[in-house]
Amino acid sequence: MTKYEITGGTPLNGTVCISGAKNAAVAIIPAALLVDGICKIENVPDISDVRLLLQILSDMGANVRRFGPNTIELDCSRVRNAVAPIELVHRIRASYYLIGAELGRFGRACVAMPGGCNFGVRPIDQHIKGFEAMGASVNLMAGYVCADAPIGGLQGGHVYLDMVSVGATMNIMIAAVLSTGMTVIENCAKEPHIVDLANFLNAMGAKISGAGTDVIKVRGVPRLHGGSYTIIPDQIEAGTYMAAVAATGGNVLIENIIPKHMDCIAAKLREMGVKITEYDDSIRVERTGRLRHVNVKTLPYPGFPTDMQPQNVVCMAAAAGSSIVTEGIYENRFRYVTELLRMGANIQVDGRVAVVNGVDTLTGSLVKACDLRAGAAMVIAGLCAQGMTTVEDAHYIERGYENIIGKLQALGANIRRMEEYSEVPAGLVAG
Ligand code: EPU
């Protein structure tokens, strides 16, 4: 088991550099299956979700080369519709992008139902609705999603999503790129990683317009060519460091970000009394006085992200007064609250609403990371608590945060990891 040991109470100070966006990388890597040539991808975060996806592609016959920790070259031209290894697919939510990518490239996909963080039921009916709108027939059989394009391949279609879904928007885009005709996706998600995936695919020859708005149009092209692409910085990783400084106090310059992507997170922290100064590609976060209470509802972008909800709850738990948090995306994303209660937090949860009554101090305790962002929240809680906190199951955190220990130590945090990092998966060739 991977554990983090944290001695809290030290304000964070210094500079931290943000890595590439996880939720862009985990879509772009499977989308490279569509490309007939070599994709050079830079600013790839070195996190376990990315390592798993690279291993899946490598096991399917792709040639994966690494140039240092954050640059890869992917050549999927020799992949011949191999079935992705089920034990790996189960471990990562984003493996659902393999369905769109295989269907688009081979006209057929058979992928195990994806895994990922447990926030209640997470169906993929909207993905399927999109594939069907392009003429595919989709069956769920023995834990697999099997999709077949009609004879002649996928045809452009029109789909109106019943709810704003990041995964469905991206998966339908991926499947549509090599189809015949025009696909229109309405009520799309608008997250920065949607735009990044569209930019990646367009750089390889796709014709996608409207990404970042409610309506995306994909005009099918016969083939994609190789090329180079740089992934955008991770909005949620940056937001997590912002929340960490807000909770512990201190003064940190967060570099390699897109300030526009941080607006919704910065606005809430400003309401709580945090001083935030934006520069071209960095942001300074300073907190000296006590945090103030605030209310927040998580929403699709540009609303406040659900993936920042647990980290912000920690700030509220240490703020003066009562805050109300409404979870607008998932039915069950407050499981981690029981862990915060062990640290002396005063939080009541009723369904999708949490009332967070701020306390003067959190106290160190033995807690668990229930999932990726909940784990990040436990780390922040440990950093601002009095005494020692041990965060168990910290492997969840490493699914999405590159070198979190090193980055926090460089900011003065007293944190250490109690296990070795996993090996780079077999099949990767260092270059
Ligand atoms: N939904 C459906 N049917 C669908 C798709 C979604 O009912 O076919 C529901 C979901 O159950 C959920 C809501 O719609 O209640 C939104 O889900 P969405 O599809 O947007 O989420 P996702 O694609 O499964 C991605 C991120 C999550 C992030 C959400 C929301 C990836 C791999 N995951 O998940 O990231 O919380 O969008 O922004 O991109 C994380 O990074 O920690 C993480 C969980």
Side-chain angles (χ1 to χ4, degrees), residues 22 26 47-53 55-56 59 84-96 98 111-118 122 372 395-396 398-400 422-425:
K22 166 179 101 71
V26 298
I47 52 178
S48 64
D49 268 14
V50 160
R51 280 184 234 128
L52 253 176
L53 273 174
Q55 185 169 357
I56 290 172
D59 286 1
I86 183 166
E87 64 285 359
L88 300 182
V89 168
H90 268 165
R91 283 163 53 190
I92 176 172
R93 177 85 184 151
S95 49
Y96 53 38
L98 291 167
V111 178
M113 281 297 277
C117 295
N118 176 10
R122 294 177 75 183
L372 166 60
H395 63 278
Y396 279 116
E398 294 168 10
R399 287 188 42 208
S422 57
E423 302 269 307
V424 175

Side-chain angles (χ1 to χ4, degrees), residues 22-23 26 93-94 96-97 117 119 121-127 163-168 170 191 193 306-307 329-330 333 372-373:
K22 166 179 101 71
N23 288 343
V26 298
R93 177 85 184 151
Y96 53 38
Y97 295 125
C117 295
F119 315 130
V121 184
R122 294 177 75 183
I124 58 164
D125 54 303
Q126 301 303 304
H127 305 228
M163 77 280 298
V164 177
S165 161
V166 168
M170 303 228 260
E191 271 67 4
H193 30 288
T306 176
D307 293 342
I329 306 293
Y330 294 112
R333 203 172 192 173
L372 166 60
R373 308 303 173 189

Side-chain angles (χ1 to χ4, degrees), residues 10-27:
T10 314
L12 298 179
N13 284 292
T15 301
V16 64
C17 185
I18 296 307
S19 301
K22 166 179 101 71
N23 288 343
V26 298

Side-chain angles (χ1 to χ4, degrees), residues 253-254 257-259 277-284 286:
L253 183 67
I254 301 175
I257 58 145
I258 298 176
T277 317
E278 284 178 16
Y279 304 100
D280 286 350
D281 58 2
S282 60
I283 202 162
R284 182 172 290 285
E286 293 167 73

